[in-house]
Amino acid sequence: MELIRSRRSNRTITDKPIPENILQDILEAARYAPTAENSRRVKITVLNIEQIQKVEDATMNFFLGLARFLMNPVIRPITKLCIPSLYQEAPELFRFEKRWQAGERPCTCNAATLLVFSTPKGYDFGWQDCNLAYQNASLMAEVHGVSQVYMGLVQSALKYMTTKRVSRLLHLPEKHRQYAIMALGFPAFRYNKYTER
Ligand SMILES: Cc1cc2nc3c(=O)[nH]c(=O)nc-3n(C[C@H](O)[C@H](O)[C@H](O)COP(=O)(O)O)c2cc1C
């Protein structure tokens, strides 16, 4: 319970790189997760900062393009009515834009490393196997004081890009599809209290 309750998505990630031995522990924890029929088809691609920057830029450009269209004065009332969630999130997105222009990577939480969990295309249990592996990896990262954040925003943007572009951006193994992405890095501070749920 101590480990489970202390795990948080701490987004104050610093520049400190993740030592190889810690990264290996995280990957090994992921390998021990259950998989359907014990088929163990999950591959984890480790992305470095240069590669992460490309994922960040693609995500920001996608959302900014969408927001500029949906928030333009003519369309805006329709957006407010039909897509209220996006309407509410637009100011946060424009705050992200400022940070991005200042050289930060807000969508990928300034991660030092990204882990991309993928399985072969057409495999029926990709979502399940990848996300079980994700959770194992996440708990092991916490053990080492490494913060982990689930990259839902990035996944949402990737949904609207071609398979070829996604494969290239994420450096996926051939004919693989990604089902989870984890941002990793050492946080600037540690929470000293649990949240109650
Ligand atoms: C499917 C999913 C998508 C998420 N996407 C993002 C994301 O894009 N960016 C982010 O900063 N956090 C993201 N999170 C993290 C959640 O916001 C976070 O887990 C939740 O607020 C609870 O906080 P905790 O992890 O610190 O306990 C995501 C979490 C999940 C499960």
Side-chain angles (χ1 to χ4, degrees):
M1 279 317 285
E2 181 83 17
L3 172 61
I4 287 166
R5 294 186 76 193
S6 56
R7 194 219 57 80
R8 296 292 311 279
S9 307
N10 187 331
R11 299 173 182 86
T12 62
I13 293 177
T14 61
D15 289 344
K16 188 176 163 190
I18 299 176
E20 191 54 34
N21 63 321
I22 293 184
L23 187 60
Q24 287 310 323
D25 259 10
I26 295 170
L27 296 175
E28 190 174 351
R31 268 197 295 278
Y32 275 84
T35 57
E37 295 177 332
N38 198 21
S39 58
R40 285 176 275 160
R41 294 188 199 184
V42 178
K43 290 254 189 285
I44 302 173
T45 310
V46 181
L47 300 189
N48 62 30
I49 293 203
E50 253 171 50
Q51 295 162 335
I52 297 171
Q53 185 68 55
K54 293 199 171 119
V55 175
E56 175 73 32
D57 295 348
T59 308
M60 274 310 302
N61 283 323
F62 169 78
F63 280 112
L64 287 173
L66 189 69
R68 282 196 192 108
F69 171 71
L70 292 171
M71 297 304 282
N72 92 32
V74 183
I75 310 275
R76 211 183 170 109
I78 304 169
T79 307
K80 190 174 179 182
L81 200 71
C82 302
I83 329 174
S85 57
L86 198 130
Y87 184 85
Q88 276 161 18
E89 280 167 23
E92 174 71 2
L93 188 64
F94 293 125
R95 277 195 290 277
F96 267 30
E97 183 183 20
K98 286 212 177 81
R99 289 175 53 200
W100 179 54
Q101 284 165 345
E104 281 193 56
R105 285 174 271 114
C107 298
T108 49
C109 297
N110 294 318
T113 299
L114 275 197
L115 300 185
V116 182
F117 297 74
S118 67
T119 58
K121 274 179 199 152
Y123 170 60
D124 279 342
F125 293 98
W127 282 111
Q128 294 86 341
D129 289 3
C130 285
N131 282 278
L132 286 162
Y134 179 105
Q135 185 64 5
N136 264 21
S138 170
L139 291 174
M140 180 53 83
E142 189 66 38
V143 167
H144 284 294
V146 174
S147 183
Q148 355 71 44
V149 186
Y150 199 102
M151 296 282 88
L153 201 62
V154 173
Q155 280 275 60
S156 299
L158 295 173
K159 262 198 302 205
Y160 298 93
M161 296 177 201
T162 63
T163 323
K164 208 170 157 189
R165 183 161 182 223
V166 172
S167 295
R168 223 179 319 120
L169 263 180
L170 301 180
H171 299 265
L172 291 177
E174 211 175 323
K175 298 202 171 106
H176 262 231
R177 195 189 151 185
Q178 85 291 351
Y179 292 99
I181 305 176
M182 180 189 289
L184 284 176
F186 284 99
F189 68 87
R190 301 215 56 174
Y191 292 103
N192 56 12
K193 279 190 192 150
Y194 297 138
T195 53
E196 290 304 325
R197 289 189 178 159

